[in-house]
Amino acid sequence: MKFHVSFQQNQIHPVQSPSMLKSTCRRVIDSLLALSFLLCAPPPVMAQNATGTVDAATQPTFADPNKVLRTIFPVAETGFDPVGVRDLYSHAIVEVVFERLYGYDYLASPAKIIPQTADGLPDISVDGKTFTIKLKKGIYFTPDDAFKGKKRELTMNDYIYSIKRLMDPRVASAHSWLFEQKIVGLDEIVAKAKKTGKFDYDAKIPGIEVLDKYTVRLHLLRPDFNLTMIFSHPATSAMAREVVDKYQDVQGLVMANPVGTGPYKVTEWVRGSKIILDAKQDYRSVYWDFQGGNNAEDKKITAAMHGKRIPQIGRIIISDVLEDQSRLLAFQKDEIDLFQLYGGLAPQVLHDGKLKPEFQQKGIQLSRIVDPELTVYYWNMRDPVFGGFSKEKIALRRAIAMAHNVEDENRIVENGEAVPLEYPIPPGVVGYDPEYKSSIQYDPVAANALLDKFGYKKGADGYRHLPDGKPFYINYTSQTESRGHLQAEVWKKTYDSIGIRMNADFRPFAEILKAEKECQLTQRIAPWIADYPDGDNFMQLFYGPNIHLNNNGCVAIPEYDKLYEQSQKLPAGPDRDVLYHKMARIMEVYSAQRIGYARYRNMLSQPRVIGYKKHPVMITEWMYIDIDKNK
């Protein structure tokens, strides 16, 4: 028996739909918390019509606190500083608490850049080296003690300050590559900071010309055809200097006190367990106004959401649930409204990429896309055994790459919920080439012959030795949950097939990221999802200067680096594609990594969720959807 709480009638009465009492109790508690939030919140800002007067009769409702969205993170978040976090899930919180100059149209396909806090798209000079960007007026940060009781308006200096933080060597942001060698004079300030140990935030930078508090003119070293997309990256979110000054840690990061201009604020955080976001009742007037494609799904979403004020959901509760089966059980018990169905669980819910009848009958909704993602296998090029450029080291890595069956991994770990790739740029991203054929193909016989040829002889126990006769093994690192163990089993099979010992090293996700950044892991499966939908975002993963940033394999190949630098001077098109092809071949020759696959993203939502469609680039869609409280 399920109980429905009616606050209008101030009574509880039974509803004839079976459910778990535990789930119901949680929903009652969430509703009571939401009601207290509503009573304490300031009155909403009223929208104005064309005459500048408030029309109460047509005022769309906004962020009902009784609308609670419950969702899940499969790994624990690490914090909420836009320049400090590297993982997808922490960035999800950053995306809704902070704001960027630009964002993405919710329904446009292919992905389309639109202004977020910017007042229109940038004015770009004919030579592509000067960008003039204007900011909307009247945008305010969430009230915080850092502002000493004053209402704090967002200005262009907040974005300039955030760029400088991103480049500060002390902060050591993994996203500094976004602006390296881009803005006139910025790299010189960074170089000086590395020498003195202190970044001069007040120093004038020739390439950053603040025309007024709402306008900036950026002068670039060379044309940058992705700069507008870069300004949609969560790491470029506006951070107030006062907040950093008040809450920063010894590294200069503010991981636990997020204060932004976005539609939500963090009201509770239990590390590694739960995050609660509440909508800001004084968030500026923004309305749902997207034009989707001429298909039934987009038409249904548009009909349900058009004209609604953003956001509609008043509270978001995120629970960290590490195990796949536990996440699915919580969803089936109606304890979760929205979650990602990973490949390991897909056979329980899907058949041939569609919901099984029993889920369809319950009204469960599926949004399914191929993620703009590259899962790559890398070997640490600084490792004394597996790294290096000698012929025998190249042969060792190439043999391992040839011995691994990507199709097997897809079948066993992902349950077929991935698309094997040949090219380092995945589908749905500018620069993808569906006709490209990698020179690295599954061939265990040839792999063993290659190891034999270069002196990796097998001993009496069936395992190989180094050419100098010494025994060796590889340390394979994976996450601690069940999926990580499955991956390790698949790779153990690969190494056994060519006579190489493997040690499985299981660690928490956050620990892996930290060690990886310091080039301390020998081998790992590393997925990368698009920051922006352009091939540059994937080819930079193997660029030498990005070691300690995004170059997880710590590879530096001069020929590759030279071509990458040339590619950055070109717009997307045939000339850049030629360079990308050459770069991909260089990657294959040295075999510092093996291209894997792009996974399907299957997002399940309960019938009460309105307007949800997985976006290929945005991490979260929470601010663009709604909840039917009557379901």
Side-chain angles (χ1 to χ4, degrees):
M1 180 80 61
K2 179 179 179 181
F3 292 92
H4 174 70
V5 180
S6 173
F7 288 103
Q8 287 184 331
Q9 298 178 4
N10 197 27
Q11 60 180 326
I12 301 176
H13 57 87
V15 175
Q16 299 301 319
S17 61
S19 183
M20 300 294 293
L21 183 58
K22 179 181 176 183
S23 173
T24 304
C25 291
R26 288 184 61 179
R27 186 169 292 280
V28 171
I29 291 169
D30 291 342
S31 297
L32 291 171
L33 288 171
L35 181 60
S36 66
F37 166 69
L38 176 62
L39 294 173
C40 297
V45 177
M46 300 296 283
Q48 294 183 339
N49 60 23
T51 65
T53 59
V54 173
D55 186 353
T58 61
Q59 173 70 18
T61 58
F62 168 74
D64 183 348
N66 292 310
K67 293 179 178 179
V68 179
L69 178 76
R70 302 159 303 165
T71 188
I72 283 176
F73 284 169
V75 297
E77 65 292 333
T78 57
F80 312 121
D81 189 320
V83 305
V85 299
R86 295 184 66 207
D87 60 290
L88 183 71
Y89 306 101
S90 299
H91 269 142
I93 305 300
V94 168
E95 199 172 67
V96 296
V97 170
F98 299 89
E99 291 184 303
R100 280 76 39 211
L101 287 165
Y102 298 98
Y104 289 91
D105 185 298
Y106 180 45
L107 291 184
S109 181
K112 176 185 175 183
I113 289 285
I114 60 173
Q116 189 170 69
T117 62
D119 189 9
L121 293 173
D123 181 13
I124 307 173
S125 63
V126 175
D127 64 2
K129 294 170 65 176
T130 303
F131 282 63
T132 303
I133 304 173
K134 294 183 180 294
L135 187 66
K136 295 172 185 173
K137 299 177 182 179
I139 298 174
Y140 294 91
F141 284 93
T142 300
D144 188 84
D145 290 344
F147 304 131
K148 299 179 180 179
K150 297 179 181 179
K151 195 173 182 180
R152 176 62 157 80
E153 186 181 13
L154 175 71
T155 71
M156 193 57 81
N157 276 321
D158 294 312
Y159 284 105
I160 302 309
Y161 172 70
S162 298
I163 291 173
K164 291 177 179 178
R165 280 192 75 230
L166 194 148
M167 299 300 294
D168 187 343
R170 175 193 172 211
V171 174
S173 174
H175 310 290
S176 59
W177 63 274
L178 291 168
F179 289 100
E180 285 178 347
Q181 301 177 30
K182 278 186 170 61
I183 297 174
V184 174
L186 181 57
D187 293 287
E188 287 77 3
I189 297 292
V190 174
K192 183 177 179 181
K194 289 179 179 179
K195 290 181 180 179
T196 64
K198 185 177 182 180
F199 193 99
D200 187 353
Y201 282 89
D202 297 314
K204 188 172 182 179
I205 298 173
I208 301 177
E209 186 182 358
V210 180
L211 304 183
D212 58 52
K213 65 187 295 187
Y214 304 109
T215 311
V216 69
R217 182 167 291 150
L218 301 176
H219 302 278
L220 308 184
L221 293 167
R222 61 173 181 268
D224 190 325
F225 302 96
N226 292 321
L227 189 63
T228 310
M229 284 191 284
I230 286 172
F231 278 122
S232 71
H233 190 294
T236 67
S237 300
M239 176 78 93
R241 188 169 184 171
E242 303 96 309
V243 172
V244 177
D245 289 343
K246 183 175 179 62
Y247 299 115
Q248 64 183 315
D249 60 20
V250 293
Q251 191 180 335
L253 293 173
V254 184
M255 298 294 269
N257 299 88
V259 180
T261 63
Y264 289 95
K265 59 183 178 181
V266 177
T267 53
E268 183 179 343
W269 180 29
V270 181
R271 290 176 183 265
S273 178
K274 181 174 68 173
I275 306 166
I276 295 180
L277 306 175
D278 283 328
K280 292 157 53 176
Q281 292 294 316
D282 57 354
Y283 185 65
R284 66 187 181 276
S285 298
V286 181
Y287 299 92
W288 204 103
D289 186 21
F290 302 105
Q291 300 299 320
N294 189 27
N295 59 76
E297 181 185 21
D298 284 6
K299 288 180 178 179
K300 180 180 178 182
I301 291 172
T302 302
M305 295 300 299
H306 184 76
K308 289 185 177 181
R309 193 170 166 192
I310 296 172
Q312 284 290 299
I313 295 172
R315 171 163 285 188
I316 300 169
I317 301 175
I318 305 112
S319 301
D320 292 340
V321 182
L322 305 187
E323 286 299 324
D324 288 354
Q325 195 63 49
S326 298
R327 293 193 290 270
L328 180 57
L329 286 173
F331 183 80
Q332 290 176 311
K333 291 178 180 179
D334 198 20
E335 297 172 353
I336 296 298
D337 298 302
L338 176 68
F339 94 111
Q340 181 178 352
L341 180 77
Y342 281 95
L345 298 175
Q348 299 183 46
V349 181
L350 305 179
H351 178 70
D352 290 337
K354 296 180 179 180
L355 289 170
K356 289 184 174 180
E358 57 266 35
F359 288 92
Q360 293 183 30
Q361 291 166 7
K362 294 178 181 178
I364 301 302
Q365 303 171 94
L366 169 67
S367 182
R368 175 179 167 92
I369 66 169
V370 176
D371 261 342
E373 174 200 66
L374 170 65
T375 292
V376 65
Y377 319 112
Y378 71 77
W379 295 272
N380 186 346
M381 288 295 282
R382 294 185 175 181
D383 186 87
V385 175
F386 293 88
F389 294 96
S390 63
K391 290 182 179 180
E392 66 272 13
K393 299 292 184 66
I394 295 172
L396 174 60
R397 294 190 300 269
R398 189 176 183 90
I400 298 170
M402 293 166 63
H404 189 63
N405 191 332
V406 178
E407 294 281 2
D408 263 6
E409 182 177 334
N410 183 20
R411 177 176 53 82
I412 296 169
V413 179
E414 305 296 343
N415 278 298
E417 290 294 308
V419 178
L421 300 178
E422 303 272 341
Y423 198 53
I425 300 173
V429 174
V430 176
Y432 169 64
D433 183 357
E435 304 300 322
Y436 184 90
K437 191 76 172 177
S438 172
S439 63
I440 304 291
Q441 298 293 324
Y442 175 60
D443 191 341
V445 174
N448 275 287
L450 187 61
L451 291 173
D452 291 339
K453 179 179 179 179
F454 282 87
Y456 295 91
K457 303 300 182 182
K458 287 185 177 180
D461 59 359
Y463 287 104
R464 296 184 183 273
H465 292 71
L466 295 172
D468 62 6
K470 294 179 181 179
F472 75 106
Y473 69 92
I474 190 161
N475 210 45
Y476 170 86
T477 302
S478 190
Q479 292 170 224
T480 53
E481 76 276 8
S482 57
R483 187 169 180 273
H485 284 263
L486 275 177
Q487 289 172 328
E489 289 175 14
V490 170
W491 273 94
K492 179 68 165 56
K493 179 181 176 183
T494 293
Y495 283 112
D496 283 346
S497 74
I498 52 176
I500 295 177
R501 293 180 180 86
M502 188 197 95
N503 175 62
D505 171 31
F506 298 106
R507 306 190 194 186
F509 182 59
E511 186 179 323
I512 288 175
L513 292 181
K514 183 177 179 180
E516 190 171 60
K517 188 177 179 181
E518 298 303 320
C519 299
Q520 294 175 353
L521 304 183
T522 303
Q523 191 208 351
R524 180 187 170 230
I525 300 176
W528 179 268
I529 192 166
D531 294 315
Y532 49 89
D534 186 81
D536 174 77
N537 192 227
F538 291 87
M539 302 309 280
Q540 60 87 20
L541 296 174
F542 316 105
Y543 179 52
N546 283 352
I547 292 173
H548 302 307
L549 300 174
N550 302 320
N551 185 338
N552 297 328
C554 304
V555 56
I557 303 172
E559 303 99 304
Y560 183 97
D561 293 348
K562 182 179 179 181
L563 291 174
Y564 176 73
E565 289 164 4
Q566 292 177 19
S567 74
Q568 286 201 302
K569 301 174 184 178
L570 298 174
D575 290 342
R576 192 181 71 165
D577 290 343
V578 169
L579 296 182
Y580 282 174
H581 277 230
K582 291 179 180 178
M583 293 158 69
R585 294 301 181 198
I586 289 171
M587 291 167 59
E588 294 161 17
V589 167
Y590 289 101
S591 295
Q593 60 284 119
R594 164 82 149 93
I595 301 303
Y597 50 82
R599 290 171 291 181
Y600 284 98
R601 183 173 292 255
N602 298 303
M603 298 299 299
L604 298 184
S605 58
Q606 298 287 359
R608 69 180 67 86
V609 177
I610 300 171
Y612 182 82
K613 182 178 182 180
K614 184 69 199 100
H615 191 275
V617 182
M618 289 192 303
I619 303 170
T620 60
E621 299 79 12
W622 303 331
M623 67 183 290
Y624 300 119
I625 64 177
D626 200 355
I627 289 281
D628 185 345
K629 296 185 296 183
N630 297 318
K631 289 187 178 180

